[in-house]
Amino acid sequence: MKILVTVNTYYPKLDGVQAVTDYLTTGLAQKGHEITVVTTMSPGLPNEEIYKGIRVIRVNVYTKYACYYGDKNAYRKLILELTKQNDVMINVCTQQALTDLLFPILDEIPCKKVLHIHGINDFKWRKSDFVDLKHFVYKIWKNFQWWKLYQFNADAIKKYDAVLQLHRFDPGYIFFKKKYGIKSYILENACDEQFGNLSKINKEKYCICIANYTIRKNQAFLLKAFYQAKIPKDWKLILVGSEKNAYYDSLVELSHKMERLYGHHNIEIKTNVSRKETIELVKNASIYLLGSTWEAFSISIIESMASAVPFISTNTGVTRFMPGGVVVDSVESMSYWMGV
């Protein structure tokens, strides 16, 4: 079968959606299907290349501040041509350009159409939306933009032959069923099989979190909890993110402040860690931590479960329905469970 996938982030970018799309597309390719992935162009990357036997095409359309930019007509023309050559088109996630720009032309696409949802903006307000005026205004803008998207594209969304969702209690699943009368298929999440290989592991005295350094991932929450936890001094907190940025700098500054308040603790705030080393760090950890203000179905929690590492997580997305850990609603609660 020939399958076309459109997704905002793909190799070599790193995030949860990328990870899921990677193992799904490579898995399909290994089964003999012919896979083409269309994704957003990034500086320094070729317009087209072959990755793990998959044809990757990068296009000049992107999402910024909940708006869509780039050569939209060229993108639509490309998809119309590609779908003549494919049996199925899978659009990964709404609320981003590579899916939403196709709504007006779905009638012209001849192959089967599948929408793969990784959660949606649920319009709820969270503490991170009030950190400063910029985030507050952006939240208002996003809510308005996403309200327009779902209000005026109901007919387009109903043209998909199938809709895949993460979990029956996910807001996206509930919203699509209530708003459009669509009963979606539940695909859930999974992770790289390497996390399930538990031979030769050595559980060590550290807590770990793997996430890009952003306000939404909220590693500051984890730092505060770790410093306040009644935990032996030989334990360590390891944070791993893809690269240094302003939020990374704020974490370093916060750790220095916590040192002055609570004394020395073993903290490592890492970047540019290889995938192989990241997997080993998770597998050998004693506790996995997640402090996110918003998640749909955290793949990092799935990775910790596959690695037989108990988790402590903020009560975000569907994490409360997942076995193998506890959910918390405050720094004090996470601090307590770290010390148990």
Side-chain angles (χ1 to χ4, degrees):
M1 183 179 292
K2 295 182 178 181
I3 303 171
L4 171 67
V5 179
T6 71
V7 62
N8 185 57
T9 51
Y10 197 68
Y11 167 85
K13 292 184 178 180
L14 297 172
D15 62 21
V17 172
Q18 171 275 327
V20 173
T21 307
D22 191 293
Y23 71 65
L24 288 176
T25 51
T26 54
L28 288 168
Q30 289 168 5
K31 290 180 179 295
H33 299 287
E34 185 177 317
I35 311 298
T36 299
V37 174
V38 178
T39 190
T40 300
M41 173 59 71
S42 293
L45 297 178
N47 293 339
E48 186 170 336
E49 66 176 308
I50 301 299
Y51 164 71
K52 296 182 179 179
I54 296 166
R55 181 187 181 192
V56 180
I57 302 173
R58 298 185 177 90
V59 294
N60 180 29
V61 291
Y62 59 96
T63 307
K64 186 175 182 180
Y65 300 126
C67 294
Y68 309 137
Y69 300 92
D71 197 337
K72 303 172 188 177
N73 290 332
Y75 172 62
R76 291 186 178 117
K77 183 178 179 181
L78 172 67
I79 296 301
L80 288 173
E81 287 300 315
L82 289 173
T83 51
K84 293 175 184 178
Q85 308 162 24
N86 284 268
D87 303 300
V88 180
M89 176 184 72
I90 302 174
N91 300 137
V92 181
C93 296
T94 54
Q95 299 173 245
Q96 56 89 18
L98 280 88
T99 293
D100 301 352
L101 288 176
L102 300 180
F103 287 164
I105 63 167
L106 287 179
D107 275 336
E108 303 175 51
I109 292 175
C111 65
K112 293 290 186 180
K113 298 174 280 290
V114 176
L115 180 61
H116 186 187
I117 303 291
H118 285 253
I120 65 170
N121 183 297
D122 56 10
F123 307 104
K124 290 182 179 179
W125 287 84
R126 297 172 175 84
K127 290 182 179 179
S128 58
D129 297 318
F130 297 93
V131 295
D132 55 34
L133 181 60
K134 177 182 176 181
H135 284 82
F136 177 74
V137 172
Y138 184 39
K139 173 63 174 174
I140 294 174
W141 173 247
K142 283 197 301 183
N143 278 1
F144 174 66
Q145 290 294 92
W146 302 151
W147 174 83
K148 284 198 307 178
L149 171 71
Y150 292 116
Q151 184 69 24
F152 297 110
N153 288 285
D155 290 341
I157 291 171
K158 291 178 181 179
K159 291 173 184 174
Y160 282 97
D161 297 285
V163 178
L164 308 178
Q165 303 266 10
L166 293 173
H167 194 280
R168 66 190 181 96
F169 292 133
D170 180 78
Y173 180 86
I174 296 168
F175 181 85
F176 271 58
K177 186 174 182 180
K178 182 178 179 180
K179 176 80 174 175
Y180 307 125
I182 296 173
K183 185 178 180 180
S184 308
Y185 297 91
I186 303 299
L187 187 60
E188 294 196 341
N189 261 348
C191 67
D192 193 310
E193 63 182 6
Q194 294 180 67
F195 286 97
N197 181 6
L198 302 182
S199 61
K200 298 181 180 179
I201 60 171
N202 179 31
K203 296 298 183 184
E204 299 180 24
K205 296 179 179 180
Y206 63 82
C207 309
I208 192 166
C209 174
I210 312 293
N212 291 328
Y213 292 121
T214 66
I215 288 177
R216 181 170 75 82
K217 295 299 184 179
N218 200 19
Q219 288 94 337
F221 184 97
L222 308 181
L223 272 174
K224 294 174 182 177
F226 186 77
Y227 272 100
Q228 295 177 33
K230 294 181 180 179
I231 197 165
K233 292 297 183 181
D234 58 343
W235 275 66
K236 182 187 299 184
L237 172 64
I238 301 177
L239 305 178
V240 179
S242 59
E243 60 185 7
K244 296 181 180 180
N245 55 23
Y247 189 74
Y248 168 93
D249 293 337
S250 74
L251 292 174
V252 173
E253 183 178 345
L254 177 61
S255 69
H256 293 159
K257 179 180 178 181
M258 293 291 102
E259 288 280 308
R260 294 192 292 270
L261 288 173
Y262 298 100
H264 176 68
H265 286 62
N266 295 319
I267 307 290
E268 293 185 14
I269 307 176
K270 294 174 171 284
T271 59
N272 299 315
V273 179
S274 70
R275 179 64 172 166
K276 181 179 180 180
E277 184 182 352
T278 297
I279 292 172
E280 291 305 310
L281 282 171
V282 172
K283 289 166 64 174
N284 291 314
S286 291
I287 303 173
Y288 190 86
L289 303 176
L290 184 73
S292 297
T293 60
W294 183 89
E295 296 283 348
F297 194 139
S298 171
I299 191 171
S300 66
I301 293 294
I302 298 295
E303 292 169 349
S304 74
M305 291 167 58
S307 303
V309 177
F311 65 83
I312 309 172
S313 170
T314 47
N315 188 11
T316 181
V318 298
T319 306
R320 64 189 180 278
F321 302 111
M322 298 161 69
V326 295
V327 297
V328 300
D329 56 9
S330 67
V331 168
E332 291 75 21
S333 294
M334 179 166 282
S335 179
Y336 166 79
W337 283 106
M338 283 182 188
V340 171

